[in-house]
Amino acid sequence: MTDHAPASTHRVRQLRLVVEAEDFDAALRFYRDVLGLTERAAFEGEGDARVAILDAGAATLELANPAQVRMIDAVEADGRPSARIRVAFEVEDGAGVTDELVDAGAQLIAAPRETPWRSLNSRLHAPGELEITLFQELETPLERSSHPGFTAGGAGGRQG
């Protein structure tokens, strides 16, 4: 079901975040039709059981210590603490997509703003009880790696 590297290269082939959505149809419209995630598969079962698997492009797991989370919260949301798990989506037009998601029912937590790691970030409360960050990269990874504290691939740095 994935187009990723063979298992011999990567032990984990896919990251799948499962979100229980009380209003499944509204959540599906929001993430598929407004945010633009592609539906890869959908299944229905007994008792009105439904699931849709939406492709969000590349998946990464961003691990941050409490000090980093506090710094991100200060930059992205004026210090408002984030949810323990926050889902970040890279988009091409951070301000435009933020407006579209708010028009589609998301609650704006923090308007788009440029961050020290050279991205334009906004924060929203979205269907499925998710807190999400939209981020638009303003520099390439190579350009960003020339700044103090950032690296292109190893330890250090902050991506989104």
Side-chain angles (χ1 to χ4, degrees):
M1 180 161 215
T2 64
D3 301 331
H4 305 289
S8 62
T9 304
H10 296 283
R11 185 177 215 164
V12 176
R13 301 199 49 185
Q14 182 182 149
L15 172 66
R16 187 171 291 180
L17 179 66
V18 180
V19 177
E20 179 181 348
E22 226 20 75
D23 188 340
F24 180 84
D25 291 320
L28 185 60
R29 275 191 301 278
F30 182 87
Y31 291 105
R32 183 190 61 198
D33 303 337
V34 181
L35 185 55
L37 304 182
T38 304
E39 189 172 305
R40 291 177 68 184
F43 306 97
E44 294 185 15
E46 292 182 27
D48 195 34
R50 296 172 62 197
V51 64
I53 299 169
L54 305 177
D55 190 343
T60 60
L61 178 61
E62 182 174 318
L63 299 174
N65 71 8
Q68 178 70 13
V69 170
R70 285 189 300 275
M71 190 273 290
I72 294 167
D73 290 343
V75 169
E76 284 186 2
D78 299 321
R80 180 191 178 277
S82 57
R84 182 160 175 80
I85 295 178
R86 184 171 36 85
V87 180
F89 296 99
E90 181 179 359
V91 297
E92 289 187 30
D93 177 8
V97 175
T98 297
D99 289 344
E100 289 177 39
L101 296 185
V102 168
D103 289 346
Q107 296 173 341
L108 186 66
I109 295 171
R113 63 195 62 201
E114 188 172 326
T115 68
W117 45 90
R118 297 285 298 134
S119 61
L120 185 70
N121 292 27
S122 64
R123 196 175 288 180
L124 306 105
H125 184 76
E129 298 301 313
L130 286 182
E131 190 169 296
I132 65 173
T133 293
L134 297 180
F135 68 100
Q136 173 187 346
E137 296 293 9
L138 302 175
E139 290 184 332
T140 67
L142 183 59
E143 291 169 327
R144 188 179 306 113
S145 70
S146 69
H147 301 300
F150 294 88
T151 62
R158 161 84 168 93
Q159 293 295 321

